Every structure is written in structure tokens, then in C-alpha cells.
Amino acid sequence: MFRHCVAGIDFSAGWDRVQARLKHMMTLFGIRELTLVHADEPHRRSHKDTTGRTNRQLHLEQVVADLSRELGIAVHGHFVSGFAVPSILDTAKKKEADLIVVANRSHSRSREFFMGNVALNLARMSKLPLLIVPSDLGAIEDSAPLLLATDNSPASARARTCFTELLGADRKGMVMIVRNPEHQVAFEEVQAGESVAANNPNLEVRTVVGDPVEEICEAANDVNTPLIVLGKRGTNPIAELPLGSTAEGICRHATNPVLLVPS
């Protein structure tokens, strides 16, 4: 499904969690090729940092070799001077990747998080599906149901399709439907929600009645889901613009991996 994956690597504890989840998600996502991108950002290095740069390059080469051996797939390393977000997006475009993976290292509500977090800026700008793995990863069970958060709108159709493909014929899943009181539900949207449940007897469907971010994150924790799937409406060329209140809230606060699928 996601043949070629591009993952941002910064050698942090957050990356260690991404690496661990990749091993578990190879079969689920159908990953057959992996490119690791390390952006040597100018504001994080000094003019005399030649030794440190060399060490980071060698570290990347070692991680590539280790993952290639452990995963049994083609793994490439891409060491680039520049900022993380454009470097990852540019590499994904050039490599014709199907998926981007990144760690979310902070759940802070501060302005610094809102303006500068790599995961959230990728979420706003990426045209590809984005897997966000939180550094404070909660309890995960790989056999637990996958969770789809949706409002059944046309913009969520691609996420719904992705969720159905990930479930396959036998896997259990949970769908949490978010109702927007300001949005009049169309007949096609009702049909879309009903078709998902009708095609999978192992599916539990719930309607969110309270705060959608709180309820979805709580449900994900309760079932120890290995993946929350949700859609987003388009892309924002300016990283600081909001992603959308529910999608951004889930990306910021979930302690389960989140797969964000653009419309």
C-alpha cells in the first residue's frame, strides 16, 4: 500500500520510537523501500562543527545498514544541509514516495510548538500521507483495532478508503464519527459511513458527543490502538497556518501513532 516510505531521522529518542514502530508496521503498511532523511539544519551547527557533521553522517550510514539488515528491504540514507521540513518534502517528491514518517517530540501548547514543530509543519504542508509517531508513545498492541476518526465528509473519503484497505478482511476496527452541528450532513455522507460498517462485521462504530480530540484520544488509549487514521483538508503552503482544529488537536495530543491522509 505504501511501497516507498521517507522517514525524517534526527537521532533523538523520538527517532528510536519511530524506528521501533517501523519494524511493527512493515506488513501493515506494505513498505518495501525506506529512505532516511537527516537534515543538518544551519541553526543547529557551528562553523567549527566539521567533526560533528562527519559523525552524524557516519551515524546515518550505520542506521541504514542496521535497518536494511533487520527489515530485509532496501534502505537508503540522505544527508542534506537545510531545514528539516523542506528537506523531507523535497526528498519524498524526488523519490516518488508514498508515505512520510516523522516523530512528534513535543505535546506543548506553547507558541514555539505551534510555530516550529517539524511534525505539525509537515502535517500542514505534506501532500502525502503522514505517519506521526509521538515520542511519549503510550501502550500499543499491534493486534488491537485500528481507529478511524471521520466526519464522513467528502474530504475524508481518502482516509476512509485507506482505513478500509489497512483493515483488510479480518482485522478489527473502530470508527468514531464526529458530528459538526454547523454542517448539514448530505445523503452521500450517510451512505459513506454506513458502507464502511456494512462491509466489515468486525467494525465498531461510535458517534462522538463531546470534545472530539479528547474522546478520540481517550478511545485510542483505551483500546491500545497501534494507529489512528484521519483525514485533512488540503495543504497549507505556510507552515504556521492552522491544520484544522480536530486534526491538529489529535496530532498534538495523541499518544498513539497517527496516520494523516490528505483529501
Side-chain angles (χ1 to χ4, degrees), residues 144-150 159 163 166-167 171-177 203-204 206 208 212 215-230 250 256-259:
L146 305 184
L147 190 155
L148 171 67
T150 180
F163 174 74
L166 289 171
L167 282 182
R171 180 149 196 162
K172 291 183 179 180
M174 177 186 296
V175 177
M176 298 195 69
I177 301 174
L203 205 60
E204 177 185 354
R206 301 182 185 178
V208 177
E215 287 204 21
I216 291 166
C217 290
E218 183 178 346
N221 285 332
D222 288 345
V223 300
N224 297 329
T225 183
L227 188 65
I228 301 171
V229 181
L230 69 154
I250 293 171
N256 306 76
V258 174
L259 178 63

Side-chain angles (χ1 to χ4, degrees), residues 1 28 146-148 156-175 192-193 195-200 203 227 229 259 261:
M1 184 176 182
L28 176 63
L146 305 184
L147 190 155
L148 171 67
S156 67
R158 191 179 175 197
R160 205 163 48 238
T161 299
C162 179
F163 174 74
T164 302
E165 291 180 5
L166 289 171
L167 282 182
D170 302 319
R171 180 149 196 162
K172 291 183 179 180
M174 177 186 296
V175 177
S195 66
V196 173
N199 294 331
N200 191 335
L203 205 60
L227 188 65
V229 181
L259 178 63
V261 184

Side-chain angles (χ1 to χ4, degrees), residues 239-260:
E240 290 79 8
L241 292 179
L243 169 65
S245 57
T246 299
E248 182 159 323
I250 293 171
C251 291
R252 291 173 69 169
H253 298 293
T255 55
N256 306 76
V258 174
L259 178 63
L260 192 64

